[in-house]
């Protein structure tokens, strides 16, 4: 109890024996030392979060407290917190390490699960090189058949027509989210991107493609909704060059089915722009079976369609911000037409 007596009792030293007064002073000094030690320990606990988790060498400092009256000094070893520079350097290293791990892990995941998302568009072009970007044998056969068909050779000899693969101009990262360029592509669906021949003025267009067995509405018959989508997209692309800003949206689509379109066959879509008035364009087209090599005349008529395309108001400033080499990709119907 003597160590807890207040300092005011020391003022009454004349009424307390000298030996007892010495004991009281020693007790109070020891109490003050314990308070200082406690405050230093609190600082040590506060900084331990930096020191214990750090790989830096721990630093210690020895503190000596002399209680006086001939008693031996008290030595206490207290761990010092790292300097501000070391803490900042350690924090920066952890941040950079985390960024590196996340980035490297994301790249590895893309390589394993989505390799096509990190491949440049030019690396998967198949317009003139069937062996590039195609893996399975059936798809190679489809591409070779299209490339070597007499009608394709005829279109290539026509100097007024430009040969393109519009679906391959869509950015690789966006292609999986585009219906006809991503979702519906692949073996037994739209195996290869449609091969398109069109003039520069937006007056006529021809598209050749293959429709697979997984596009059916009835067994062996291609779904009518898919045929309407193909007609909408192809007819829209035909008139784009004739419009002021080379882009439009479907205002009206009229489709007439003339005969069942059997699955696993080659088809050709023929489109012609019939009228253009300012921001409006009217286009008509036919979907036919592709004639066999050596056959005379046109193929069997399967679908007829007509469409009214309207360019959105005030689209000009937005399109002028698109670089010239990106306009073709940005004006594909799958990205620009509301109903397609």
């Amino acid at each position: 109890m003597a160590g807890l007596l207040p300092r005011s009792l020391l003022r009454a030293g004349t009424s307390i024996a000298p030996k007892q007064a010495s004991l009281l002073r020693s007790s109070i000094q020891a109490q003050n030392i314990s308070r200082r030690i406690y405050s230093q320990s609190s600082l040590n606990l506060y900084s331990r979060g930096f020191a214990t988790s750090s790989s830096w060498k721990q630093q210690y400092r020895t503190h000596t407290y002399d209680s006086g009256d001939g008693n031996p000094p008290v030595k206490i070893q207290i761990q010092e917190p790292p300097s501000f520079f070391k803490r900042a350097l350690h924090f920066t290293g952890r941040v950079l390490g985390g960024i590196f791990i996340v980035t490297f892990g994301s790249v590895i995941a893309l390589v394993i699960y989505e390799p096509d998302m990190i491949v440049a568009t030019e690396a998967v072009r198949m317009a003139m090189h069937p062996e590039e970007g195609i893996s399975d044998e059936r798809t190679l056969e489809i591409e070779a058949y299209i490339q070597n068909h007499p009608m394709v050779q005829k279109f290539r000899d026509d100097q007024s027509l430009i040969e393109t693969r519009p679906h391959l101009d869509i950015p690789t990262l966006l292609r999986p989210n585009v219906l006809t360029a991503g979702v519906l592509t692949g073996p037994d669906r739209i195996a290869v991107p449609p091969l398109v021949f069109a003039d520069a003025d937006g007056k006529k267009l021809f598209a050749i493609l293959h429709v697979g067995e997984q596009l059916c509405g009835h067994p062996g018959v291609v779904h009518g909704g898919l045929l309407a989508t193909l007609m909408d997209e192809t007819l829209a692309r035909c008139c784009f060059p004739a419009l002021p800003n080379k882009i439009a949206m479907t205002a009206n689509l009229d489709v007439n089915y003339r005969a069942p379109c059997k699955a696993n066959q080659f088809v050709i879509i023929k489109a012609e722009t019939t009228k253009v008035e300012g921001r409006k364009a009217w286009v008509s087209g036919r979907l036919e079976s592709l004639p066999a090599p050596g056959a005379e005349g046109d193929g069997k008529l399967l679908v007829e369609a007509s469409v009214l395309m309207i360019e959105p108001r005030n689209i000009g400033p937005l399109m002028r911000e698109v670089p010239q080499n990106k306009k073709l990709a940005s004006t594909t119907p799958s990205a620009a037409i509301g109903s397609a």
Side-chain angles (χ1 to χ4, degrees):
M1 294 298 294
L4 301 179
L5 293 177
R7 292 177 178 271
S8 58
L9 292 179
L10 295 178
R11 300 191 186 98
T14 54
S15 59
I16 300 176
K19 185 176 182 179
Q20 292 177 340
S22 176
L23 290 175
L24 285 175
R25 294 190 187 94
S26 299
S27 299
I28 293 174
Q29 290 175 354
Q31 187 176 2
N32 293 335
I33 292 174
S34 65
R35 289 175 179 172
R36 290 196 296 270
I37 294 175
Y38 177 78
S39 61
Q40 292 291 340
S41 299
S42 299
L43 176 62
N44 179 34
L45 291 175
Y46 177 76
S47 61
R48 182 166 301 210
F50 297 97
T52 56
S53 61
S54 174
S55 60
W56 303 102
K57 183 178 179 181
Q58 295 179 341
Q59 300 178 356
Y60 295 90
R61 179 177 298 176
T62 301
H63 298 265
T64 302
Y65 298 94
D66 190 357
S67 59
D69 297 332
N71 296 324
V74 179
K75 293 184 178 181
I76 299 178
Q77 194 176 47
I78 298 178
Q79 180 180 319
E80 297 291 336
S83 66
F84 174 79
F85 173 76
K86 289 184 177 180
R87 294 200 303 269
L89 187 62
H90 184 222
F91 176 77
T92 304
R94 287 194 170 214
V95 171
L96 295 178
I99 294 175
F100 174 79
I101 292 173
V102 172
T103 304
F104 186 74
S106 301
V107 173
I108 294 298
L110 285 176
V111 171
I112 295 175
Y113 296 104
E114 295 290 345
D116 293 339
M117 294 183 68
I118 59 174
V119 177
T121 303
E122 290 74 16
V124 295
R125 288 187 173 275
M126 298 179 290
M128 303 301 295
H129 304 282
E131 70 279 3
E132 293 184 8
I134 308 177
S135 56
D136 64 287
E137 183 177 351
R138 175 57 179 160
T139 305
L140 282 171
E141 293 176 357
I142 293 173
E143 178 69 13
Y145 184 89
I146 293 176
Q147 294 290 339
N148 298 315
H149 196 278
M151 188 169 290
V152 172
Q153 301 303 322
K154 177 184 176 181
F155 291 149
R156 285 175 176 163
D157 294 337
D158 189 343
Q159 298 298 319
S160 66
L161 299 179
I162 302 172
E163 179 181 355
T164 60
R165 236 43 190 279
H167 285 176
L168 296 183
D169 289 313
I170 301 174
T172 308
L173 290 175
L174 300 180
R175 207 176 299 163
N177 299 325
V178 178
L179 182 63
T180 56
V183 178
L184 297 178
T185 61
D188 294 327
R189 289 172 283 176
I190 301 177
V192 297
L195 186 60
V196 175
F197 296 87
D199 66 345
D201 300 326
K203 295 180 179 179
K204 57 184 178 179
L205 181 146
F206 305 92
I208 299 176
L209 67 151
H210 181 272
V211 288
E213 297 178 350
Q214 295 183 8
L215 302 175
C216 296
H218 297 281
V221 179
V222 176
H223 197 291
L226 172 68
L227 298 177
T229 299
L230 293 175
M231 295 299 290
D232 183 18
E233 180 176 294
T234 306
L235 270 58
R237 186 177 285 113
C238 176
C239 71
F240 276 179
L243 294 171
N245 293 290
K246 321 302 181 188
I247 190 171
M249 301 180 70
T250 304
N252 178 267
L253 175 65
D254 186 17
V255 181
N256 294 296
Y257 300 95
R258 302 306 184 188
C261 178
K262 295 182 180 180
N264 197 24
Q265 72 165 322
F266 295 89
V267 297
I268 180 172
I269 302 177
K270 304 175 182 179
E272 180 182 3
T273 302
T274 58
K275 184 171 63 172
V276 178
E277 291 182 358
R279 298 183 296 107
K280 297 181 180 181
W282 288 261
V283 190
S284 62
R286 299 160 55 95
L287 187 149
E288 304 171 355
S289 59
L290 185 67
E296 296 182 358
D298 297 333
K300 184 178 181 180
L301 176 62
L302 305 176
V303 180
E304 285 185 312
S306 60
V307 65
L308 168 61
M309 305 298 299
I310 300 179
E311 183 178 287
R313 293 182 183 274
N314 304 320
I315 196 66
L318 177 63
M319 295 304 298
R320 283 193 288 272
E321 294 178 1
V322 180
Q324 291 294 327
N325 60 342
K326 298 296 184 181
K327 281 190 176 181
L328 183 58
S330 64
T331 56
T332 51
S334 55
I337 300 177
S339 61

